[in-house]
Amino acid sequence: MSSLIEELHRREAAARDEAAGLRCEIDMLNEHLAETEERLARLEITRETVAEILGGADADHVEAAAAPAPVMTADASRVGVLTVTPWRPGIAVAVLPTAYQDLVEVLIDAGHPLRAGQVAAAAGLSTDKSKVEGLRAKLKRLVDRGWLAEDGPGRFTTAGRQDRTESSRRQQNQGSSL
């Protein structure tokens, strides 16, 4: 009987070690993902700035060339550029990519304008200067698409969109109570 218990302890220790190794790999992948998303945000800003500077027909060419079709993997998940749907009445926050949903929810919860660094801290993200710049790009994108407003330079808010924030909260609460 003691050899069976010893074998179970050995297997338990091996499984615990494997789980720790997998957690380490996940942490490394999450870090790599964050760096890649930050690089992507900078590239999107650059493309949008170039399109703005070029204006007219050249801008249409830049926009068309910059929007590659998403790559589908075996499990049919989307890989590629995250799209931020323009806001319109009746649309829920849930249509946004998760990273953008989190930012909108932080501003909804705050109830007053926040700077990018404050949003980062409230969302539990890094407040390192380079990370905040990537976050600011996302907030600006949400402003451009009508999800947020800028209440002064660098002060982001959901003010003026109470109809959207109220309905999105109700939809989220209904979804969580099911």
Side-chain angles (χ1 to χ4, degrees):
M1 186 67 163
S2 68
S3 64
L4 177 61
I5 299 296
E6 289 171 359
E7 179 63 18
L8 288 173
H9 281 294
R10 187 189 64 73
R11 288 184 181 192
E12 183 180 340
R16 194 173 285 120
D17 290 344
E18 183 178 0
L22 290 171
R23 281 187 200 98
C24 183
E25 287 181 42
I26 289 170
D27 289 343
M28 290 182 348
L29 287 172
N30 281 332
E31 186 176 312
H32 183 69
L33 175 62
E35 291 168 357
T36 302
E37 286 177 338
E38 180 182 342
R39 187 174 69 243
L40 174 61
R42 287 193 317 264
L43 289 168
E44 287 174 339
I45 291 168
T46 302
R47 177 185 41 80
E48 289 170 359
T49 303
V50 168
E52 183 180 308
I53 290 170
L54 292 177
D58 288 339
D60 294 336
H61 181 270
V62 171
E63 288 291 328
V71 176
M72 301 302 277
T73 60
D75 62 46
S77 65
R78 291 181 59 166
V79 177
V81 177
L82 296 176
T83 57
V84 176
T85 306
W87 180 84
R88 61 186 180 278
I91 194 168
V93 175
V95 301
L96 293 172
T98 306
Y100 290 88
Q101 285 179 32
D102 294 343
L103 300 178
V104 172
E105 289 169 4
V106 163
L107 286 161
I108 290 169
D109 291 342
H112 57 85
L114 296 175
R115 297 198 175 278
Q118 294 170 311
V119 173
L125 302 172
S126 171
T127 56
D128 184 49
K129 188 173 182 170
S130 64
K131 302 289 185 192
V132 171
E133 287 303 316
L135 177 68
R136 183 174 288 110
K138 287 182 180 180
L139 292 168
K140 291 279 194 180
R141 192 167 300 110
L142 288 167
V143 169
D144 290 343
R145 304 299 196 285
W147 287 95
L148 299 177
E150 252 187 299
D151 183 37
R155 293 170 40 95
F156 300 94
T157 184
T158 58
R161 298 279 189 221
Q162 293 303 319
D163 55 331
R164 178 192 67 240
T165 58
E166 298 290 327
S167 66
S168 66
R169 277 190 180 160
R170 280 195 300 272
Q171 288 174 356
Q172 288 176 353
N173 290 338
Q174 288 172 353
S176 65
S177 64
L178 295 177

